[in-house]
Amino acid sequence: MNDLRKIVADLHAELVRYNLVVWTAGNVSGRVPGEDLFVIKPSGVSYDELTPENMVVCDLDGNLVEGEHSPSSDTAAHAYVYRNMPEVGGVVHTHSTYASAWAARGEAIPCVLTAMADEFGGEIPVGPFALIGDDSIGQGIVQTLKGHRSKAVLMQNHGVFSIGKDAKAAVKAAVMCEDVARTVHVARQLGDPLPIAQDDIDRLYDRYQNVYGQRSPR
């Protein structure tokens, strides 16, 4: 548990490093392996004040289990994702500028870059508008991403939620989402971006997910 607290606390620095958050907005959470618990950022605490000790632990209903601070205001959304997507080990929320601009238009980011095909396996979809306060946002995330290859969703008029096999993978998806959102936005200022054929998207996704990078010896 202490190791996960440190991992989640440290990963928040990546949100700042890649300019995905401002002030105290945004959060990272990580599922506790083998338990119905997750670690998440406390609500309203400055990023430079985050430590492993002030991370909070919640159950999968979003109830506080350990910690002296109130959990993030997005805890109910994270909890709903963990309850309904058992393969997910990490969830991230940001209001990153370019991706949130697409969310404000309620427009999916089309798959016009090989990097998108690699990481997301197609477009980055838009989820429904939902208010903070209960698990409505979580329902929208699950409704949109279940059965979808994308690891990120643009929640309409809100921002980005990303998922991954662990918290680090979810942070990577959030970073990549903002990167491609910015590039595709710039491309559209110059003209109409060229689509990538579905067969090529499938091949790129398979290569990146199953061949790219270093593999453990068997």
Side-chain angles (χ1 to χ4, degrees), residues 53-67:
E53 292 72 30
N54 62 24
M55 293 296 106
V56 296
V57 181
C58 295
D59 64 23
L60 297 194
D61 290 317
N63 299 310
L64 180 66
V65 173
E66 291 181 21

Side-chain angles (χ1 to χ4, degrees), residues 23-218:
W23 204 240
T24 61
N27 38 72
V28 178
S29 72
R31 188 194 292 267
V32 179
E35 299 187 47
D36 290 335
L37 301 170
F38 63 98
V39 175
I40 192 168
K41 174 183 176 288
S43 179
V45 176
S46 172
Y47 279 82
D48 58 9
E49 295 176 358
L50 294 180
T51 65
E53 292 72 30
N54 62 24
M55 293 296 106
V56 296
V57 181
C58 295
D59 64 23
L60 297 194
D61 290 317
N63 299 310
L64 180 66
V65 173
E66 291 181 21
E68 298 180 359
H69 296 77
S70 298
S72 164
S73 58
D74 293 300
T75 295
H78 289 242
Y80 189 90
V81 173
Y82 288 127
R83 286 200 308 274
N84 290 276
M85 301 182 78
E87 72 279 12
V88 170
V91 179
V92 172
H93 174 46
T94 77
H95 298 155
S96 59
T97 303
Y98 284 87
S100 295
W102 288 85
R105 292 197 303 269
E107 184 177 356
I109 305 173
C111 188
V112 295
L113 296 166
T114 59
M116 286 190 68
D118 289 344
E119 178 71 19
F120 301 103
E123 71 173 18
I124 298 175
V126 175
F129 177 77
L131 294 175
I132 298 172
D134 56 21
D135 61 14
S136 298
I137 292 173
Q139 291 178 40
I141 296 166
V142 171
Q143 170 190 321
T144 307
L145 292 185
K146 223 170 188 181
H148 201 293
R149 291 197 296 208
S150 178
K151 295 295 185 286
V153 55
L154 311 174
M155 293 300 288
Q156 183 182 314
N157 300 109
H158 188 172
V160 178
F161 279 85
S162 60
I163 59 175
K165 62 182 177 60
D166 53 29
K168 183 177 180 180
V171 169
K172 179 191 175 187
V175 171
M176 294 296 294
C177 179
E178 178 64 4
D179 183 59
V180 299
R182 179 174 56 249
T183 303
V184 179
H185 169 78
V186 171
R188 293 209 332 183
Q189 309 316 298
L190 302 172
D192 293 327
L194 301 175
I196 300 174
Q198 186 62 51
D199 286 349
D200 291 329
I201 291 173
D202 293 342
R203 282 195 288 270
L204 287 162
Y205 182 74
D206 179 69
R207 179 200 66 87
Y208 188 75
Q209 300 297 322
N210 300 307
V211 179
Y212 175 82
Q214 303 302 310
R215 300 291 154 181
S216 300
R218 295 181 180 178

Side-chain angles (χ1 to χ4, degrees), residues 8-20:
V8 171
D10 289 350
L11 282 170
H12 283 86
E14 298 300 298
L15 303 188
V16 176
R17 177 185 176 193
Y18 288 99
N19 298 312
L20 304 186

